Amino acid sequence: MTSDGVRRVQSGSPWEESFGFARAVAAGDRVLVGGTTSFKGPVLYGEGDPYEQAKVAFTSALEAIAEFGLGPESVIRTRMYLTHQRDVDEVGRAHREFFDSVRPVTTLVVVEGFVDPRILVEVELEAFRGAEQS
């Protein structure tokens, strides 16, 4: 943790070092998880399968907030970025499996593409730690 109370978590993404970012940052009562795909190290999981890519991405994002002692029930916002409108239902199905009982505020947008053309889905999370966990 830094002197200003901000704590950062790295995931080992190949882009974290070259771009200079953290997977997740905790500041005050919020934990933010940056864009997360289904890459784990150099391996892309679920190639060609938006549902599987979303599941892997959400799992990785939740692993990042777990570093702060949080779980899915702490998630207050999700963002999903897709490269194809046809994948909305499959990515939505994955989202529901993780967050149906939580019901975070959610944004889903279709984008032109990602840094690797095999990526179909990228997700972001925002979690709330609450006063007792600050």
Side-chain angles (χ1 to χ4, degrees):
M1 186 172 309
T2 62
S3 61
D4 59 359
V6 176
R7 183 172 161 223
R8 292 167 176 82
V9 169
Q10 303 297 134
S11 70
S13 160
W15 295 293
E16 286 174 354
E17 196 60 38
S18 63
F19 290 6
F21 71 91
R23 168 63 53 224
V25 175
D29 60 3
R30 294 173 54 195
V31 177
L32 306 173
V33 180
T36 305
T37 67
S38 63
F39 266 101
K40 290 190 176 273
V43 178
L44 176 72
Y45 289 85
E47 187 167 349
D49 184 342
Y51 170 73
E52 189 62 30
Q53 283 194 21
K55 283 180 40 178
V56 172
F58 281 125
T59 298
S60 293
L62 288 168
E63 287 169 354
I65 69 168
E67 293 287 325
F68 301 99
L70 303 176
E73 68 285 348
S74 301
V75 175
I76 59 172
R77 174 186 296 274
T78 60
R79 292 184 183 97
M80 296 166 281
Y81 305 93
L82 317 177
T83 54
H84 300 286
Q85 192 278 332
R86 68 173 185 244
D87 297 336
V88 167
D89 290 340
E90 288 300 291
V91 173
R93 179 167 66 103
H95 184 276
R96 184 176 182 165
E97 288 177 11
F98 286 94
F99 302 109
D100 189 34
S101 65
V102 178
R103 301 290 170 128
V105 63
T106 298
T107 301
L108 185 145
V109 293
V110 177
V111 298
E112 183 68 25
F114 298 111
V115 297
D116 185 309
R118 299 172 297 162
I119 298 171
L120 303 174
V121 180
E122 187 166 325
V123 303
E124 295 178 347
L125 301 181
E126 183 173 342
F128 180 71
R129 296 198 291 181
E132 70 281 358
Q133 297 174 4
S134 295

